[in-house]
Structures are given as C-alpha cells and as structure tokens.
Amino acid sequence: MATIEISGVSKIFKDAKRKSDVTALSNVDVTVKKNEFLCLLGPSGCGKSTLLNMIAGFDKPTAGTVKVDGQVVEAPGSDRGVVFQQANLMPWLPVWENVAFHLKMRGAMKAERREKAQLYINMVGLTGFENHFPSELSGGMNQRVGIARALLMNPGVILMDEPFGALDEQTRMDMQNELVRIWEEHKGTIVFVTHGIDEALTLGTHVAVMSARPGRIAELIHLDLPRPRDITSPRFNDVKRHILDLLRPSGAAHG
Amino acid sequence: MASLMRYGRPERFIVPVLILAGWEMFSRSGALPPALLPAPSAVAWAWADWIFNIDGNTQSYAGHWIFDVMASTWRVAAGFAIATILGVALGIAIGWSRLIEVTIEPTLQMLRPIPPVSWIPLAIIWFGIADKPAIFLVFLGAFFPILINTIHGVKTVDRNLIRAGAMVGGGQHQLLRFIVLPAAMPSIFAGLRISIGSAWMLTVTAEMVAVKSGVGYVLWDSYYFLRYDIVIAAMASIGLLGYLSDLLIRMISARVLRWQQGTTLSGSEG
Ligand SMILES: Nc1ncnc2c1ncn2[C@@H]1O[C@H](COP(=O)(O)OP(=O)(O)OP(=O)(O)O)[C@@H](O)[C@H]1O
Ligand SMILES: [Mg+2]
C-alpha cells in the first residue's frame, strides 16, 4: 500500500557554465506508506529540496523512478500539495484568493471559493486577514497562507519544504501541533523537509536522516514515540543522540 | 496618496505663474510684433472663443473645439485600443513560447526601428485622407512599446509562481490567464504609459498631414492663416489631452496594481 516509492533515484545537476556537475542525490531508495509522516532530515545542501521537487513533479530524476500511487511522476498535479520553502503566493491576490487558488483554476464560483477558503484560513489561524495582500503580512503569516492553500486541495500527499523555517519558536510549536492535529484528523501522507532534529522527532512517524555530498539516505528511523511527543523524555533523547551521531561524521552536520 | 497630497501644496504653482507673467510682459513690451508671439491673455481669449464661440474671433473654428477634440481623441483611442489588444496578446505569446518567439520576433525587430511617421505616404495611399491613416499611425507608434514591455513582463515572471500554479492543478491556459498575465501587468502598464505619449504625437502629426479635422489640423491650418494665438491654444489643448489620458491610465493602473502599494518605491515624499 505504498503511496510514494522512490527507487534508485539519482540527480545530477549539469552546470554548463562552470563545467562541473553537482551530484545532488545518489541512489536513493525510500518508500512512504499511506498515512505515514516522513521527515527528511539533513544538513543544508544534502538534496532534501531536490528529492521533494521530484516527488512534486517539478524535476525529473537523472536515474531511477519516483512513483506516487503506482504512477510514475511526470508533472506536478493537485494530488500532491506542496508547501514551498518560500511561500510563493500570488502577490496580486488577497489571502483568501490565494488559499482558494486551486478552485479558481478549476473555474469555481466566487461564493464557493470564498466559503471554502474561510475554512482553511481559520484552520491556520489567519481569521481577519482574508483581504490582506501577501505584501501586507509577515513571512510567517504568508507561510501559513501557503499551508492553507495546499490543505484546501485535500491532496493525498502533502509535501512540505521547511515550511516553519521562517516562524518564531512559539508560532512554530503551535503550527507543529496544528499540523499533527490536521494530519491525525484528515489522514494523508506527508513528506516534511527540515533540518531541525527536534522538529523531525516531534512530527514524524519516520525520519530519513540524509548525508551530504553526494546526498543519500543514511538511515530510515521508525519513530514509535507516543503522541503528543515530549521532547524532554529519555526515549526522545535516545533517538536524538543516535541521529546526532549519524550526522556528525559527515562533517557538514551543522551547515 | 502622494499625488493627492501634492494638490494641497501652493508652491507647485509658482513656476508656471512666473513663466506666464514674464511671457505676458515680454509680449506687451513690443520687442516682437504681437502677432508672432501672442501674449497668454490673447491665447486665452482665442482659446475661449474656440471653445465657447464668444465673439467669433477664431472664425470658422469658433465653438468648434469640442468636435476637434473628439475627432483627435477618437483616433487616439481607436489606435491605442488596437495596439493594446494586439501588443499584449502577441507579447504574451512571444514571451511564453520559444517557438513563436523565434518565428515572429526577428520580423518585428526589423520593423521596429522604422519611425512611424515615415509610414505616412503609404498610410495615405492605403487608407486615403480620413480617420484610418491616423489610426494606423497611432497603432504603429503605440504597438511596439506595449509589445516590448509585455514580452519583458512575461519573461520575468517568477518561475516559482508558475510552479505554485502547476501544483494547484493549472494547465497551460490557466497558468497564462491567472499567473502570467497578472504578473506581467506592471510591465504592461509601463508600456501603456509610454505608448499614450506616442499616440498623441502621431495623431497630431497625421492630422497635420493626412487628415482634415482634429486639433492637429486646426494647429496647422491656423499656422497658414498666421493665427499664432490659435496655434498656441491648439498646442495647449494637445498638452492637456495628453496629460488627461496619462492621468486616466495612471488611475486605472493604480487600481489594477493596488496590490503593489507598499512593495515598490514610488518616490520619496517631502
Ligand atoms: N537547479 C539547480 N542547479 C544546479 N544545482 C542545484 C540546483 N538545485 C540544487 N542544486 C544543488 O544540489 C544540491 C542539493 O540542493 P537542495 O536544494 O536539494 O539542498 P537542500 O537539502 O534542500 O538544502 P537546504 O536545507 O539549504 O534547503 C546543492 O549542492 C545545490 O547546489
Ligand atoms: Mg531546501
């Protein structure tokens, strides 16, 4: 019942100008089952975004295959909601239009879009900002609009690229709890990129620890810690110590 | 906001008032024959008669101003509208599709350096002496700035926005309509503002040469009759019309691009 199957995936970026190729990913195998929450954890530049972009369909692997629900990924599609590292909102649309952008593409009427948008705006805690433009919101608020936009599509798979990177500690914790709540309620498969160990251990059912140059998965860890996760518990810290050990020898652990 | 604030400031009138006063005194001093450089008061008098038919001093033009203005405005509007529709449509096609770009762009780039006024002989041969050659010239002058700016706008659309659009399930057609077009709007409006200036310039030129009506025709015709007061009144009318049409575009632009407020530098206030 695998939702995402990544087998033998390598990605080489050809750099024509500098005549030096970058091997972003080398022979990555990973499977994410339905309703699993996989966190991709690793140092900067280890290929997390690259891997996520290939699942999203923005990029094609140089070798190997990426399948979602048994289908080889060819292009982006609304079965996979993406929350980008930068919010990537349409600056000319107010918040609610951005949230309901999926419905606009499908030609839905304004009343329906407005109503549906409100639901998700409330969910991410932006009630009252419906008619603001992205330039009038903080980075963290924009990020939440991006999350609401992806959730509204009700996709089977949600791909998130460091979505909480721009948030302050308090809001980040709130958003993490909210995300877990939404995920437990609605189910769905999530791939979540982060370089925060605590964040990965708070959220995931699985953590794929990656190493850099070339990017590969060092270890796939199954987390059976009880929820809500207690980041001060001994078991939490055992796993954390193990991951720190994994990251350390790579040399670029804290990039 | 800034433009509203400017209206409350009296210092903006100082320079125009000084120029007008100096000009009036110079004309009355008799250094030049009054017919060669009519005083502002004489121009105002002629202009008023042209508009309201006060004492008939502008003879056949008296009371005719509104019709001349409408004739010119119609030519500008028609040529400008055609240029906008074609320029934006073609600009989006060229900016979006590499194939269309290599097929059409070289030809357009060869036509672009030809000054629109040099088309006047052909325009007269093709369209005769009436509205059409003027509209054709306006179109030529307005088309290229709109086209070039639209192409630029489309090519500089943030690739990540297109990705976001594809992610929410947009096809090619929807991406163009809901992302590329709105994202290119600031550039398109920049093109429109450049074009409206050329549009007035070319209408007046065409009216001086190839059309027997409009403000440009009055200007040239009164030159033959040595009525320099009417010539200057016509110049001022053209300036006014150009200013008003630019203002109109700026107002539409401020409305369409209101999402940009606060994101762009719009001149310092003080
Ligand atoms: N479009 C591209 N062209 C060339 N090289 C690229 C491109 N995208 C990524 N790379 C390279 O691939 C490697 C992995 O990049 P990637 O963006 O996937 O890293 P990341 O793990 O997401 O890092 P971060 O945590 O900083 O976001 C980097 O070395 C980067 O330089
Ligand atoms: Mg990244």
Side-chain angles (χ1 to χ4, degrees), chain B residues 12 20 22 37 69 85 88 99 108 110 119 131 137 152 162 165-166 218 245:
Chain B
R12 64 202 293 267
L20 285 175
L37 185 64
V69 164
I85 293 167
V88 170
L99 178 69
L108 291 173
M110 267 155 53
W119 288 83
D131 276 346
L137 281 190
H152 172 78
I162 310 258
V218 171
S245 42

Side-chain angles (χ1 to χ4, degrees), chain A:
Chain A
M1 231 203 3
T3 304
I4 306 172
E5 291 167 86
I6 294 163
S7 40
V9 163
S10 299
K11 178 74 188 179
I12 297 167
F13 287 107
K14 298 226 178 300
D15 192 331
K17 259 181 275 164
R18 295 189 203 81
K19 296 257 189 291
S20 67
D21 297 350
V22 178
T23 307
L25 291 171
S26 155
N27 202 17
V28 170
D29 290 294
V30 63
T31 306
V32 191
K33 296 207 186 71
K34 197 163 164 32
N35 297 339
E36 281 184 351
F37 194 138
L38 174 73
C39 290
L40 292 177
L41 176 67
S44 184
C46 71
K48 306 182 293 292
S49 297
T50 306
L51 189 58
L52 202 77
N53 282 340
M54 288 191 291
I55 305 172
F58 299 138
D59 255 328
K60 293 230 167 73
T62 313
T65 55
V66 178
K67 285 186 192 171
V68 172
D69 287 327
Q71 298 271 324
V72 174
V73 171
E74 297 282 356
S78 54
D79 58 325
R80 284 152 285 143
V82 181
V83 179
F84 299 88
Q85 205 162 354
Q86 278 88 38
N88 289 341
L89 305 176
M90 309 303 149
W92 54 88
L93 294 179
V95 164
W96 76 267
E97 286 250 49
N98 265 294
V99 170
F101 201 59
H102 169 62
L103 297 174
K104 190 178 186 118
M105 290 283 192
R106 294 174 49 178
M109 302 299 277
K110 185 174 174 181
E112 186 199 341
R113 286 187 276 136
R114 187 73 184 75
E115 190 185 353
K116 202 79 184 286
Q118 193 64 52
L119 229 63
Y120 291 87
I121 289 171
N122 297 345
M123 194 182 286
V124 297
L126 286 177
T127 317
F129 294 96
E130 293 81 2
N131 290 311
H132 283 60
F133 288 107
S135 61
E136 300 169 324
L137 301 183
S138 73
M141 290 160 99
N142 277 326
Q143 201 57 35
R144 284 188 265 166
V145 177
I147 294 170
R149 174 175 67 184
L151 290 176
L152 178 137
M153 300 194 297
N154 197 17
V157 174
I158 295 184
L159 308 169
M160 307 178 100
D161 195 344
E162 291 183 39
F164 305 150
L167 304 184
D168 63 276
E169 195 60 35
Q170 182 60 45
T171 317
R172 189 203 325 265
M173 287 195 309
D174 290 348
M175 290 302 296
Q176 287 169 350
N177 293 336
E178 194 62 12
L179 180 62
V180 170
R181 189 187 64 73
I182 292 167
W183 170 73
E184 284 176 330
E185 201 169 298
H186 299 268
K187 286 303 169 190
T189 313
I190 298 183
V191 180
F192 188 104
V193 167
T194 177
H195 49 223
I197 300 179
D198 283 352
E199 182 164 72
L201 293 181
T202 306
L203 296 173
T205 60
H206 295 75
V207 177
V209 182
M210 297 182 66
S211 61
R213 276 167 269 279
R216 58 172 88 237
I217 293 183
E219 192 176 327
L220 183 66
I221 299 168
H222 176 62
L223 297 173
D224 50 1
L225 303 167
R227 287 182 198 271
R229 302 248 164 99
D230 175 6
I231 60 168
T232 55
S233 74
R235 280 185 65 198
F236 189 99
N237 281 305
D238 288 344
V239 187
K240 186 169 173 178
R241 201 168 300 120
H242 177 62
I243 291 176
L244 281 170
D245 284 341
L246 280 174
L247 291 173
R248 213 161 271 144
S250 74
H254 302 288

